[in-house]
Amino acid sequence: MKIAFSTLGCPDWSWGEIVAAAKDLGYDGLEIRGIQGEFHLNSAKPFLPDRINGTKQHLQEINLSISCLTSACYLYLKKEQEAIIKDGMEYIEIASRLNVPFVRVLGDKEPQITEPVDDALVCEGLKILGDYAAQRNVTILMETNGVYADSQRISSVIERVNHPHVAVLWDVHHPYRFMNEQFTYTWQQLAPYIKYLHIKDSVQEGERIRYRLLGEGDLPLGDLAVVLKKGGYQGWASLEWVKKWHPDLEEPGIVFPQFVHAFKKIFGDSN
C-alpha cells in the first residue's frame, strides 16, 4: 500500500511545510482537504492558474503524489445541488490538470447518522459527476460516511449508479464504529468498489468518540491488516487526522511521524 496524509491534520501549515513533511517522513503522497484555511482549491495558492503547473512539476521532481482531492460536495443537499455539482466539476478539472486519480464526495455530512438521506438524489449527483470525471480520467469516490457507513446501503447506491468512474472510499473507522460492522463483513460487501482507504483509530467513551493515534485506540487494526492482505488491496491508505474539526487533537508534528511507524508495524511496509 501507498501512504498519504490528509491536510485536515495540519490546517495551519503552509504548502511548503506540508510538502516537506510528507517527503521527509517517507509518505508517498498527500490528500488535499484545504490549505491554511482555504478550502476552495481554485483559490489555494499552489493551484492558482499561474502556479498549478509549477506545483505539479515540483511534486514530480521529488517523487511525491497527490493521492486524492477531498471535496465538500454534499450530494444529499437538494436545494444546493446545482452549486454542489459545479463545485465537484471544478475539483475534477483541478484533479485532471494535476493527474490526481480521485475526487472524494459525500452522500451524507456527518460521520454518524443525523437525518434521512434520499438515495435517488445522491445517485443522480454521482452519475453526473461520474460522466464528467470519465472525460478527464478521474474517478469519483463516495465515502463510507453517515448513512453510507452502512456498507449494504452504499453498495446498493454504487450498483444503481453502475458507473466505471464512480467507486468507494472506505473510511475504515465509520462502518466499524457507527454500524458495528466487522472489517471482514465490510470488505465482503464493498471489495469490488473500494479504491481508497481512510485510516484512523479511536475509543468510545460513553456517547463520545475520541480519536487516538494509530494503534492507541481500540479498533482491531490487526484484523483489518489480515483482511486487506487476503483481499490483495494495493491502493492508497490515507491518515485522516481531523484536527481541523477537533483542534484539541495532537499536533501534526507528533501524529504524522507516529503514523508512519505504527502503519508499518500493523500493516507492513508501504509499496
Side-chain angles (χ1 to χ4, degrees):
M1 286 185 282
K2 296 178 287 186
I3 59 171
F5 64 77
S6 168
T7 56
L8 273 182
C10 51
D12 298 324
W13 283 10
S14 69
W15 178 247
E17 290 172 320
I18 292 167
V19 170
K23 181 63 178 176
D24 292 346
L25 293 172
Y27 282 85
D28 302 293
L30 296 165
E31 179 182 328
I32 308 301
R33 180 72 172 102
I35 299 170
Q36 286 190 309
E38 180 55 72
F39 282 85
H40 296 284
L41 290 194
N42 279 340
S43 301
K45 289 182 180 179
F47 308 124
L48 292 174
D50 61 339
R51 297 191 181 191
I52 191 169
N53 288 336
T55 297
K56 178 180 176 180
Q57 181 177 348
H58 177 60
L59 291 174
Q60 289 174 339
E61 289 171 352
I62 63 174
N63 197 30
L64 196 64
S65 301
I66 297 178
S67 57
C68 181
L69 300 184
T70 311
S71 78
C73 293
Y74 301 122
L75 298 179
Y76 70 97
L77 293 174
K78 185 173 185 178
K79 292 182 179 180
E80 302 173 32
Q81 191 77 339
E82 184 176 345
I84 288 165
I85 295 298
K86 180 181 178 182
D87 190 41
M89 289 178 172
E90 289 177 353
Y91 268 77
I92 291 166
E93 290 286 355
I94 296 172
S96 179
R97 290 194 64 183
L98 291 167
N99 292 334
V100 176
F102 304 118
V103 170
R104 190 286 306 264
V105 300
L106 289 172
D108 201 352
K109 185 174 183 179
E110 302 297 335
Q112 69 281 359
I113 296 175
T114 56
E115 58 188 51
V117 171
D118 182 354
D119 288 347
L121 181 65
V122 172
C123 287
E124 180 183 350
L126 287 172
K127 288 177 180 178
I128 294 170
L129 291 177
D131 286 344
Y132 196 81
Q135 301 171 28
R136 291 154 180 83
N137 199 30
V138 175
T139 295
I140 299 297
L141 301 178
M142 189 163 82
E143 186 173 334
T144 55
N145 186 77
V147 299
Y148 298 112
D150 179 336
S151 59
Q152 285 191 339
R153 184 162 178 179
I154 192 172
S155 175
S156 175
V157 164
I158 298 299
E159 288 172 1
R160 285 172 62 181
V161 173
N162 190 27
H163 199 295
H165 285 262
V166 175
V168 169
L169 186 161
W170 181 17
D171 186 307
V172 302
H173 178 269
H174 298 338
Y176 178 87
R177 184 61 76 199
F178 299 114
M179 298 294 175
N180 297 313
E181 293 187 8
Q182 297 302 308
F183 294 130
T184 299
Y185 176 82
T186 308
W187 177 262
Q188 289 172 344
Q189 300 300 313
L190 298 178
Y193 314 119
I194 294 170
K195 301 297 184 184
Y196 196 93
L197 303 180
H198 273 171
I199 304 286
K200 46 182 173 280
D201 205 349
S202 74
V203 295
Q204 185 155 2
E205 299 176 350
E207 297 296 319
R208 184 172 182 181
I209 303 298
R210 293 187 180 273
Y211 292 109
R212 293 286 185 260
L213 298 175
L214 194 71
E216 297 185 9
D218 60 16
L219 269 70
L221 296 172
D223 294 348
L224 175 63
V226 171
V227 168
L228 295 175
K229 184 175 182 179
K230 287 184 176 179
Y233 180 78
Q234 294 293 321
W236 286 97
S238 179
L239 167 62
E240 191 185 43
W241 189 246
V242 290
K243 188 170 178 62
K244 172 65 179 178
W245 315 132
H246 300 275
D248 58 320
L249 290 175
E250 288 89 341
E251 295 297 321
I254 296 172
V255 177
F256 290 171
Q258 187 274 344
F259 178 82
V260 176
H261 176 76
F263 187 92
K264 289 180 179 180
K265 184 176 181 181
I266 297 167
F267 298 97
D269 286 340
S270 64
N271 299 315

